[in-house]
Structures are given as C-alpha cells and as structure tokens.
Amino acid sequence: MGNAAVKNADETWVYAFGGGTSDGDASMRNLLGGKGANLAEMAKLGLPVPPGFTISTAVCVAYYDTGRVYPATLDAQVSDALAALEGKTGKGFGDPENPLLVSVRSGARASMPGMMDTVLNLGLNEAVAAGLAGKAGDRFAYDSYRRFIQMYSNVVLGMGHDEFEHILDDYKEREGLDLDTELTADNWKQVIVRYKEAVQKELGRPFPEDPREQLWGAISAVFDSWMSDRAIIYRKLNDIPANWGTAVNVQSMVFGNLGDTSATGVAFTRDPSNGSPIFYGEYLINAQGEDVVAGIRTPAPISRERANTLGSSDAPLEEAMPPVYKQLVDVANTLERHYKDMQDIEFTVEDGTLYMLQTRNGKRTAAAAVKIAVDMVREGLITEEEALLRIDPTALDQLLHPRIPSDDENKKAGNAAYDVAFKGLPASPGAAVGRVVFDSEEAFALAAKGEDVILVRVETSPDDIKGMHAARAIVTARGGMTSHAAVVARGMGRPCVCGASDLRINTAKGEFTARGRTFKKGDMITVDGVNGRVIAGAVSLINPDLSGDFGEFMGWADKRRTLKVRANAETPLDTRTAVEFGAEGVGLCRTEHMFFDEERIPAVRTMILSNDETGRREALAKLLPMQRSDFEEIFRILGDRPATIRLLDPPLHEFLPHTDEDIAGVAKASGLSAEELRRRAADLHESNPMLGHRGCRLGITYPEIYEMQARAIFEAAVNIFKEGKLKPVPEVMIPLVATHRELDILKKLVDETAQKVFAETGVTLDYMVGTMIELPRAALAAGEIAQAAEFFSFGTNDLTQTTLGISRDDAGKFLPIYSEKGIYEKDPFVTLDQEGVGELVKIAAERGRKTRPDIKLGICGEHGGDPASVEFCHRAGLDYVSCSPYRVPIARLAAAQAAIRGAKK
Amino acid sequence: MGNAAVKNADETWVYAFGGGTSDGDASMRNLLGGKGANLAEMAKLGLPVPPGFTISTAVCVAYYDTGRVYPATLDAQVSDALAALEGKTGKGFGDPENPLLVSVRSGARASMPGMMDTVLNLGLNEAVAAGLAGKAGDRFAYDSYRRFIQMYSNVVLGMGHDEFEHILDDYKEREGLDLDTELTADNWKQVIVRYKEAVQKELGRPFPEDPREQLWGAISAVFDSWMSDRAIIYRKLNDIPANWGTAVNVQSMVFGNLGDTSATGVAFTRDPSNGSPIFYGEYLINAQGEDVVAGIRTPAPISRERANTLGSSDAPLEEAMPPVYKQLVDVANTLERHYKDMQDIEFTVEDGTLYMLQTRNGKRTAAAAVKIAVDMVREGLITEEEALLRIDPTALDQLLHPRIPSDDENKKAGNAAYDVAFKGLPASPGAAVGRVVFDSEEAFALAAKGEDVILVRVETSPDDIKGMHAARAIVTARGGMTSHAAVVARGMGRPCVCGASDLRINTAKGEFTARGRTFKKGDMITVDGVNGRVIAGAVSLINPDLSGDFGEFMGWADKRRTLKVRANAETPLDTRTAVEFGAEGVGLCRTEHMFFDEERIPAVRTMILSNDETGRREALAKLLPMQRSDFEEIFRILGDRPATIRLLDPPLHEFLPHTDEDIAGVAKASGLSAEELRRRAADLHESNPMLGHRGCRLGITYPEIYEMQARAIFEAAVNIFKEGKLKPVPEVMIPLVATHRELDILKKLVDETAQKVFAETGVTLDYMVGTMIELPRAALAAGEIAQAAEFFSFGTNDLTQTTLGISRDDAGKFLPIYSEKGIYEKDPFVTLDQEGVGELVKIAAERGRKTRPDIKLGICGEHGGDPASVEFCHRAGLDYVSCSPYRVPIARLAAAQAAIRGAKK
C-alpha cells in the first residue's frame, strides 16, 4: 500500500464524516482505523456525530515508507477538508469571532494503547480564546485554553505532565486557592502565562499560536506515536503488524463542560465483566472527556439499575437528564442492533444536546463474551455460527481455571485492593494460592503432605518436572512465553508467571526480594497467570463453571467441527482433565515423563549405566510393571477412546544427574564411583542433543527398551480388557523416524511383542503402529513410511526446529529481534509456520494418503492448541489435533471456526 | 531376490562351467560372483579351465532371508551338478578307484577379503587317499590328505592354524626331520593320525570322512563367512551392501605339486604398481596354489624381463617351461583383449598342461590405473570415454600427494622394510614426515621456525585448526572417517591417520605409547594417510606428477564434463593449490577461518565481549584491514575466476576461550575478569549450537559485522582492480537463510555497502549476492528467496543435519549401527542422501529457476568431492560443485563420468 501511495498522486488521503455526509463507513476499518470508520458509520446512521475528517492509515504507511515524509497531495486535501468542516459547522478555524475548535485523535485498525490518545480544544490561541470568551464566557474560554496548552504540551511537544501540575499547585498555594473550580478567568490567564514560559524555557521556542501549526503538530504526533517504544511493544505482544499504520481523526469539538446542562460519559451496552444485559457506564456533569478517564472526579453510574448494583448514592444520568438518557439508550440499542455486538460508546452532552464521539465493539472478559454471544443467539440477534466466530478461542483459557475476582468483584466483596508484589509475563492462565518454595524436591515433599505450594525458580529445567507438577503454580525470574517453565506449565494446566525481572531469588537465604520487599520460604502468595501478577497473601479464588452457557456454546462448536481433538497427557490427572475438557482421546502420551518419577529413575539410571544388554534387560524388567500400571490407569480413564503412546524419545543423558550433589547420590545408589558416573555422563554428552542419539535411534541401538515399553502397553491393554468393561485402543508411536527402514525394523519389534503378549494371555486386541513425522526427511519419505505406518502424528515442535534450523531452547537470543523486524510474523513455535513447516505437513499428508488412503493423520505439540494452527490443520485435511488438556476447549472452538470459515468459501 | 528365491521353487541355483559347456558368462557377475562368472567366461572362450559349478549368490541371500535355511531344491541341484562333473572328468566323488577331488572357493560380486577363501583337495578320506596313492604316488596322496585336513579344519571347522603347525613341528623334531620335503608317506600318515586326534579332542567329533559331508561343510562355511565380523567390517569400509551375498565355486582339482613338470602361479598382464606393459607375476615349481600365497617358499619371477627388473637369479617360467610360458602369454593376451582391461590371473601347470583357475580385472595403484587407461587408449583397445569411466575418481586422491614408496620400490631401493609403529583409519591421503608434537600452539611455533611437525592428539577441535594447518600431518587416537580431524585434514590436504586405537598419549610426560613402544615429543615419524600407517623414523617420499599421463587423462575429463568445479578455500595456500588442481573458482570461502588467526582473535573476542554496537564497531574497525588483505590475496591468486565469500557463520561462542588457561590469558588481554569472561561465555552458551544464534542470524542481530565484512570484500576487489591487471568477481554469500525476509534485509546491507565503497573509490565492479540453501525451509521457500538471491549454494552438510535431524558431531553413537543395519546405505555426510536431501536440492533448484531462470546453482561442503554426489549434482542440473582443493581432480573426473553416463541414457 505504501508504494502505491507514492506512485498514485491522485489517491484520496482524507475522508470526511458528519454533518449530513460521510465519505467512509464501518467496512473501511483498515483504511480509516476503528474510530474513524465507526464515526463515519454512526453519521451515516443519522446519529448525532460532531462533523470532522479522518486522515487515512495509508498516509501513515507512506510516511514511514519514505522516511517520514507526507504524500505531496496531503496538505491540500487537509486544507479542503478543513474548509468543508468550517462550512458544515459555520465556524472558522482560528477565527476569533466564531472559532472552530477540534479534537485530534489516533485510531488504528485495532485498538492500541501506547499511541497518542487525544488532544482537545485545538485551535485556541490568545486571540481565539478572547473571542471564545465573548461567546461562551471567559472562565470557560480560559479554562479550555489552559487545558489545551497542558494537553498539547504533554502529548505533542513531549513535556512532562507533572511540570504543569506543579505550576498550578504552586499558583493555587500562592493565591490561597484550593479547588480548580475556585479559579477565575483571570487566575487561568495568569496560569497560562506561566505555562507558556515553561514551554519556552524547556523547548527554546514559544507555544504555537498558529492553529494550522498546532494541527500539523498534532497530526505528526499521532503518526510518530505509531513507532513509539510502547506502541512497538504493544504490537509485538498482540501480534499487530507494523505495516497496518494508524489513522488520525480531526473532529469539531463539543463541550461537556459548558455548565450543569452539559456532561460527558462512557457506556457499555452490556456488562463487560459478566455479560449481563444491563446498560453499564458512568458520566460526569460539566466535564470534558478526559476528566472521566483521569479519575480526579469520581463519575456517577449511568443507570438506576447500575447505581443500585454499586450501591452508589450519586444521581444516575437516567435521573439527572431523563430525555438525554432516553435518547442515549435508543442510540445504544440502535448501535447494538446495527453492529450486532455489545458496544463501548463515548458521548458528550453539550447544553442538553447529545453527541456521539465513539462507538466500538466493547472489550469484555471471556465469561462475558460467552454469555453475550449465547444471549444474542437467544435474542435472535446473531446465529450460532456468528456466535462461534465471535469468540477468540484463546480467551476460553481464562474460563477453565480458578480465577482471581475482578477488581469490581473484589471491591463489592468489601476487600482491600490487591497487594501486587511484582509482575511478569502471563505465561499460563489461571490463579493459585500457596506457600513459597524454592526447591522442586521440597515442593514435591510438601505437596505430598497436602500443602499448597508455589514453586519460585530463576528458571526451570527437566529436573523440575516433578516439583512443577506438585506445585499449584510456577513463578520464574527468567524466560519468555515459550521457556521451559511456560511450556510445561501450560501443558500441565498450572498457572505460571515467568520472566519476572523484578524477582531476585536468594536460595541460600531461603527468600526472594521484589520491588524492595522480601518474602521468605513459606510465605503465602497468590499467582495470577492471566494478568502476570503475583499478589502478597491469599486471595479467595472463583472456580470455573464448565456447564451452563459455556457448555451450550461448546456444544455448538462440537456440532460444526470436523477435526477431532485429542490431548497430550501422560498422567492420570492430565488424562482425566483432558476427558473433562472434551478430549476424544490421547494424541501424545510421552512415556519418558513416567521415567522421571522418583521411584523409577534409579532403575532408569541403572539401565543407562549398564555396560551390556543383559544389565539393561535386568533394569528394564524392574521398570516393566511400573510402566504397565501407568498404562492401565490411562486406559481405564480413557475407556474406548484411543491413546497414542510414544516410545522413549529423549537422549539418555537427560536422565543422568547433573549437579555434584545428585551425582554423589546416584553414585551411592548405583555402586559406581562419582568419577565413573561423571565419565559415563561425559561419554553420553552431545554437542546438539536435539539432533542426537534419541527417538527411534534409541530403539534401533537398544531394542530391549522399546520391547519393554511395547510389552507394558500390550499387557496393560489386555489386563484392562480382561476386567470386562473396556476395550482399550493402543496406538504405538515411534518417534524421530527419518527413513522407512527405521520404522520397518521397529514395527516388526512391536508386532512381535504384541503377538507374544497375545499368545501368552490368550487375548488379541486391535492396535495400531505409527510414527511421528517430525523430521523434514520423514515428511518427504512419507509415501514409503506409510507402507508400515498406520498413522502419522506430526510432531510440529521438532519439525519446526529442524525445518527452520532453530533450536527452541536457544531461540531467545534472536527470535525477539526477528519478530521485531517482521522476519517471522509470529513465533513459529507458537503458531505453525505455514509456508515452511506447513508445506512439509501437506507434502507428507498427500504422500502418506497416496500410499495408504485411510492413514490417520494428526498433529501433536504446542501448535495443536493454537487457533491459527488448528485452522491450518483443518484446511490440510488432518483427522485430529492433539494439545495440552487445558487447550482442548480452545482447539474445539478453533476447529469449529475453521469448519465454518471453510464452508463459507 | 531373497523373497523371489523362496517363492520360486523352480529357480536355478547351480551353474556349471568347463568341459565344453558353461551355464553362465562374465555378464552374470551379480548372480555368480566375480570368480564364478569369469571361470564360466574363460571356459566359453575355450581356455583350459578345470570344470566345476557355481552355487549362486541368490542362495546366499535366501539363506539369510530364511534364518540360514537352504532353498529346498538346492540339494538336488548340487547332486546333479556333481554327477555332471563326474561325467565330465570321468572321475567319481569319493570313489577310491578314480577319485574326483574338488576345491571350494567363495566368490562375491566384489572381491572381498574377510570371507572364507579356499579349501583344496576336498573329497579325500582314508579310502580315497589310499586309492589316490595307487594312482599318483603315496607321498603325494598323503601330503595332499594332510594338507586338506589342515585347511578344512582351519577354514571350515574353525580350528587354529597353529595347532597343526605345532603337531607337525613336534613330529619333525621327534623324528629328527628338518624340512617338510623330507617327510615320507608314512611320516605323513602318522601326522594325519595326530591331526585327526586333535580334531576329535577339540571338537568332540571325528574329522568328516564322508566327502558329501565335507562338501556341504565347506559350502556352509563360505555362506557363513559372509556374515563374519571381518567380512561385515570390510563391507562397511567399502560400501558393499550385505544383500549382495556371495557365491560358492566348486571346481575339480588340478595339481601343481605332481613333480617338477608341475607348477602354480599368479600373474598380472601389466605391472599393477606402475602400469608398465610387462608380463608380471611369480610361480613355484611343484607346489599348490596356497604355497605361493603362504610365503614359505619364495616364488620365482615369471618372465625374464621381470627377473631382470628384480635382479632375481631364479629361473623364470619363460625359461623353465618355455611352451607353457608361451601358451600362458597367449592366454593372457586373449584375456586382456577380451576383457579390455589388465587381468590378474591364477594358473596351475599339471604335468606340463596349463590350467586357468581364475581371471579378474587386476587391482592396481591409482598411478597404474591412469597409465594403463591412457596406454590402452593409445593401443586402440578402449576409447577415451571408456578410459574415463574405468578409473574410480576417489583413487585419484593418491596421485595428488607425496606418497610412501611401495614395498617393491622400497626393497628395490635397498631399504629395510617399514617399521610400522601403529595403524589407524586412512582418514586423509598422502604421506608426510615430521617430528611428533602434542600441542597445537607448539606445532604452530615449531612450524614457524621451519620444522616439519606431525600433530598427534587424542582428538581435535576447532581450537586446533591453527596447529593442524601448521602440521605436515595429523594423527588422532579417537574419531572416525568423518571426525573433526578427518574432515578438516582432508579439507586442508593434510595426510591424516585417525582413530588409532593402539595409541595412548601422555601429554604430561610428552610421549605416546603404541604396541608397547614409547615415542617422545620430537621423535621423527612418517604418516601414511593412504594406508592408515604410522611408521617410526623418516621415509623418503615420492612427489606427485600432475603432468604427463595424468594431465592428458584429466584433459579428456575436462572436455566431457558440463559441471564446473570450484574449491572451498580461504587461505592463499589452499587457493593456490585449488587453482593448480584445476579449480575454476572458489565456491566457499569461510571468513570465520580467518577470525581464528592468532593476531585477529583478540579483536574478534573484544567485539564479542562488547556491550554495545559502538564497542563492536571499534573492534571491527581493527579487523577490517586484515580481512581486506586476506581477500586481496585470494583475488590476486584467482584472477578472473569467481570467489564465493560466505559472511560470518559460526556462533560467537566458538571464538571464546574454553580452558581455564585460555580464559586467564584472554581475561588479561581484554581487561575483563576471568569470572566476567566465564559469565559472558555462559550467556552465549547454547543447548544446540548447530540450530542456534549463527549464520545470517548474526547479520540480522549485529549488522555491523556483516557490514565490515562486505566492506572488506569490496575494498579488496577495488584495490586489486586498481592494480590494473585483474578484475575480481566477488560473490557475497549469506549463510543459514530460512526466509526471503532475512535475505532481503541483508542483501540491502551488502548492496548499500558496495555502493558506498564504489562511491568512495570511484570504481564500480560487478558482484553478486546470493545465499546458502542449507535449511529445509530455505529449499521450500527457494522461489521467494530467488527474488533477491542471484545464486544458491547448497550447503549440504547442514542441510543433511537438519533434513535428517542428525548432528554430525553426535552421529558416531548410532550411525555405525545404522550402516550395519542398512538404514542408511552410505554415510549421509559423505554421500548425499538423494531421497531426502536430494529431493530438497531438486525442489530448490526448480523453484529458484522458476523465479530467476539464470540463477547460478552450486553445491559446497564435503559432498562436492564425493563422486556419487557429483553425479547427482550433474543430474539435478546444477552449474557447479565446490569441494576441498585436494578433491578438485576427483570432482572433475566424477563430473566427466556423470556427463558420459548421462549421455548414454
């Protein structure tokens, strides 16, 4: 678009709205931004919108494409628009006799805090203020003028807000004045002189008197704010591309501060915190918009119903200005019916006349979103499909965990505000309360005694799995949204706050400090994984409700989706959670997680440290009954649902001790010297373990390991079958296959083991053998691999690592810079890289199906719970996705959305 | 074939030859093995071949497919063949009156030491020996019988050879006998009794009397020997698939030991050591074949010419048996003309009658191979193309390095036999003489003083590069053919023996021991990289001759090939070597190798340890003139040949010190504390450096590094151009690109830098910007990447690592087992995996060309010097291959062979 702008000198850059005509409408959101498009739409609907014009996002794009130069024709178009605005309002910009004042606001495609917000009353200078004084009263005129100087200096000229506050406080003190309302026009004039001196002193130039200079200053400030650090960070966190750009809205001012017949306010057409269908909002008499936001005066509730809910004694707008209130309710209803969604509106009443300044789809909690969508279907406003498409699947996550009461709920319950100790990244949703523990072993031990603990670590490693599972929540000082702690916590459904940079842990002392406070081991804290907060003390949490509206809503989703949804689970708890959340089977049961268990790891280590097959077989014989009972429990929970069980995958060195202390412990237990143990560990050390001796390479070199695991699976399945009620469906999965020859060898081993178990027990069960497709070579050789494989499960985590050549563990050093530069639009470990990894998935699916038309195709790994990736899987024609239990509802909804969108095309 | 054998009961398993008919011929080598096919062919040509039959390789395959069970119809077919043989010879197998004795020999498709070789005189037992005594003399009969028992017991029954030697020595001593020839028939009878007792005692069963049992014992011994450890190892080393199988040849005996009118011998139709067209061979009067091999008696030269060459006083066959000699020369000429290649023949003279026992294409040194091929073209026997196809390209490597004189040459020069201290893998060809050094720094220092040194290490790492380059040869105790030492040594053209398991290095004492001997630092040794030998003392080496026959031969190759050949080179020495060996440019100049130089690494480290861009830029400014002068030198050597220069690739931590000593040194030099340095190194540490912060990711995150390197390249090119004679052609290559966006950003940086340099200097030169294709994603996205890339260089080393998910550094733990099981037929790091990696190369080539039809496509990395991979590149339509300088002639020949074979199709 940028280039087109440069090339096409005839392009329209400016779009007028209000006063009878609108160049734009709501469909032009990409060009006009959300605010601009909706102002135009409201004007078209005949609602009372003060006229103005929008400078399009294309200008912003062109501005950055050309090194911050405006398109040549922009200046003329703005002048024309301004002239037209003067015509519509019958006022003159900079005309002291009848001055046109405007507001200037940013407005991007997506709502974006972090950018310049608003400048009001623009167009005032000494002469205009004097003129305005004659028409609207001098106190109003000079109060407005000083507000303008203050706001413009801060927002456009970049001066501190405090400076002006100091000047005002200083002045009031010297004059013995207390409240702003006590200041007269003359007082304000004196304050204005001081304000202007401050600007001159700090910037070395006077405050601009020329309204056009003011206007262009404000326009540039909006465009420049698009690349402010805060805006860049916000975009990164919210996946907003930099090349969307922002628009600028210039609108004639209306005044809520012309006396007691004027007012300003904001409202939601329904309650955004829980979705209740009440008119929700607040307003201030005799005030300008920013007063509501600034919080200097406490706004009053808008309706009687809301006032009652809050127990407020202030008069609601409903009673203070009944005709205006009635008109506002009509407008709100019109807008909701028109947009078919809950609206967030801003309005101003100027001397008894209502003006609409903004409408947009209102932000809401996930709970509210579901309730509103379900209600609107009942009200006949939208269809079930529209309701399904309206909810961001990832937002559901909030509904599946206990949560912290909202500030409102908290206040209503009569509690003090939350005492936030520190913040970090909201790495895994939900909330939990527990005592601080710094050590995984200790977390496990205390949890075993029934204590609720929160594991607080600098960062986590596979050694911490047991402690993480035992803890109610995890907090780390280091690591991003895809760090070990974050990924594992999401997988386990544990709330997690990670990368908390204020957190300093002193394990030796058994304490941590954050923002100057010290917390000791055993102190009670509350972790809010949704908002990335850690709160001192215990907060009473609210439990999720999976039935009611949520249940109905998910039912609609299940009716529409064609993709099945399974869960990645290996513990009975996870498996049970998965089934509760609607999983249709287990798509990935990682048997190595069972190996880390305290009771088992000695046998695992003995096996690894054995010099020969005999030694390994002895150790494996000890593991067999334990693995068998794991599988029995999982089969029992799953019933007739299938379970894909992956044979041992990680390199063996992961099971060996790393710290001196652990080595000493294992040495003692194993009878080997610490030195010998260290030597063996060094022998097993790998330069690139991700590409090392792991996956089926273990099965090829130590077939006895896979043989034991296959035996455990089949014996467990037979045992459960013999109990008489269930018929387990084991799917044995071979990891890290690159060639069909690997699978041929290992499938033979699995089949032979199955036949032995069936012969020994006299029970024969159906089962499948298949493979992970997680290496590019496997995707390419899928046609040959499918000769032996009855299913493919795309291991997109490893497939992403190998296809892109990026180690997930090491990507932190450059992937953030890559996102910043737009090299990967989204983190490829969160959202599937469709161009690269996706092509391999498609190639493998096609080749696999060509060899074996009924081959079952699924995806496991983090991508299985990412809506964009789920949509890809739907389009690629896979049979199922598998994700962590807590993401199952997300995947169900995403799959439904994909089916609906697919059917539309 | 195995399955077919089981299914098809009518299959012919046994093929007769000789006595007027032959079921097979030379074209049936795959089925009959080399020996069997050639015996059949010779018989067809009417040459005197003792009749016999061949049990095909299909039997061997079936035998192993079914768990060592023979095809059902085999027994009958062998019986029929034996009956036919009795008919042809007029003798009876096991018939004391007129006994048929046979030899049993293995014979695979490729000559394969490691398998069972030969059993002679089979069919003898007490009765048959007695009968034979009546016909051919009793001494002959019992001498033959005891030889048979000895050979059969050893080869078939698995008894030690020494045991029988002890019995015989013991007997001779007791009887006061000195030479075997002094033993009478009765003596032999007594020895035979003792032999049989020894067999009974050791095996618990008698020596088999039944000739058919003997025969089946020998047949099974041949088939079983196919899976002996030695055979398996040999196959692995020589890339022979296990499913080829071996054949068994059963042939009626002729006797060279029937007195002074009998003889046996071996001959080559030309000199296999240098290719001279003389009749070359040796023989023994009154002897059996194994006597020539056993070395108990010294054979005499076959021809007068050869006797003169050797200065032998023994009568040559030419004079001892003139008619037989004449007949033999005729046979030899017939065979050479028939096979159009130098033949290696075995013959026996039985009582004045010549019999041919074997012919095959003779093994020869690379020098002989070239001379014979060139001579045969001159003689009109073969065409240039046939000559080119006849030479194994890898064998050329031997011709490019100084070499150890052959044992013959050494003897002729009057020197003592070589004193081999120990052996290892022949990891990099050539030979070198020098003093033992254990430390890379010391190797560098001594070399700088003009000393020839041999670097002896347990294994090598990137820290040793400087020392390896300074050394004349490298020897390691650990590591295989693709270990760091091996790969780097081949790249540098340094002879290397690696994985020498007898070598025990004691660095502290400054010595090593091997096979019980101790060598000290400074001791002189000679390294023979062709044969994997390390010889005590200094051997006088022979220098290569690249002109003459070799030059003519390579000229033929250059005429035919369409693929260009470049070299991977970064030092002036390597570049010069590459040009001498015929490289048409540099395909990969790794700029990081220049960073390891002692003078530079401090600046490199300062750069890495800088906290900000300013610090990095300061350090880079110091590196700029050094890099520039490197490039100047390379451009000067290359002239108008193009040079592809790869910008910095390895992760930065590779440049930081690792040992405590080095850390202390760097700390001192850099002004940082050792602890700080260690912390920074830990910060840079990566779990999987292969997939980490390297390649263009460095250029994206630290653009100043690539900017400096681009500047150095362009300034160097301009400087050389200004000298007035040459016009350098720089091709700037961006490594590890995965998306077109990376290349877009970095190409812009390179182009801007070029424009700056051109503007500053007033000289504008042509250059190209391109990329490595070394990640699967890059191959898939090649169409988009080609929009910015003017060339692709396939980095097949990394592409193999990522496509197969195998870390080359860690593959040693499982890749050998993978080869054993046939999962990868060849080491995918040596020979390109065509199914997987190859498909990505083809996809990228196709997509790249679609976007940019004239895009230049090449391959760099080890595969560029592997003939099979070169052939693939030819078929894939690439423009060039690039390999290490010493492999350039190999690639030239391989490219010619690919072109010739391609044209034939």
Side-chain angles (χ1 to χ4, degrees), chain B residues 50-67:
Chain B
F53 57 87
T54 302
I55 303 175
S56 79
T57 58
V59 174
C60 185
V61 173
Y63 182 69
Y64 282 107
D65 275 356
T66 54

Side-chain angles (χ1 to χ4, degrees), chain A residues 347-532:
Chain A
F347 64 91
T348 283
V349 183
E350 185 183 272
D351 200 14
T353 306
L354 176 69
Y355 291 98
M356 299 305 301
L357 299 184
Q358 163 137 318
T359 190
R360 57 184 171 187
N361 294 341
K363 296 213 167 168
R364 62 206 85 177
T365 63
V370 171
K371 169 142 184 62
I372 291 170
V374 172
D375 281 350
M376 286 191 168
V377 170
R378 289 185 192 132
E379 291 163 21
L381 219 53
I382 57 175
T383 64
E384 286 179 9
E385 294 200 342
E386 282 168 332
L388 288 168
L389 289 176
R390 188 158 288 176
I391 310 275
D392 174 6
T394 50
L396 294 185
D397 209 2
Q398 295 172 27
L399 304 182
L400 310 176
H401 302 268
R403 64 178 175 86
I404 304 253
S406 68
D407 288 343
D408 244 25
E409 290 166 330
N410 190 46
K411 199 192 280 180
K412 219 190 293 179
N415 297 323
Y418 297 133
D419 176 12
V420 176
F422 61 90
K423 300 188 92 181
L425 297 172
S428 178
V433 178
R435 294 191 184 282
V436 171
V437 175
F438 299 105
D439 180 80
S440 285
E441 292 294 331
E442 201 174 350
F444 184 80
L446 287 172
K449 289 188 204 150
E451 285 260 35
D452 291 340
V453 296
I454 308 288
L455 183 62
V456 179
R457 307 273 298 163
V458 174
E459 56 196 344
T460 63
S461 76
D463 292 341
D464 293 312
I465 296 280
K466 196 173 63 171
M468 292 172 77
H469 205 265
R472 293 278 155 181
I474 296 107
V475 176
T476 71
R478 268 197 237 149
M481 297 293 287
T482 56
S483 64
H484 178 266
V487 170
V488 173
R490 283 198 294 272
M492 291 177 172
R494 297 287 176 282
C496 175
V497 170
C498 71
S501 51
D502 288 340
L503 178 59
R504 296 278 173 283
I505 299 173
N506 188 329
T507 324
K509 282 197 183 168
E511 63 181 39
F512 71 78
T513 58
R515 300 185 180 174
R517 292 163 72 183
T518 301
F519 292 76
K520 300 228 159 264
K521 192 174 82 177
D523 282 356
M524 193 65 86
I525 58 173
T526 301
V527 176
D528 173 6
V530 175
N531 302 300

Side-chain angles (χ1 to χ4, degrees), chain A residues 741-742 818 823 839 847, chain B residues 741-742 818 823 839 847:
Chain A
R741 287 175 286 269
E742 292 163 306
Y818 265 51
I823 293 172
E839 181 170 358
R847 295 182 181 181
Chain B
R741 288 175 284 269
E742 292 164 304
Y818 265 51
I823 293 172
E839 181 170 0
R847 295 181 183 184

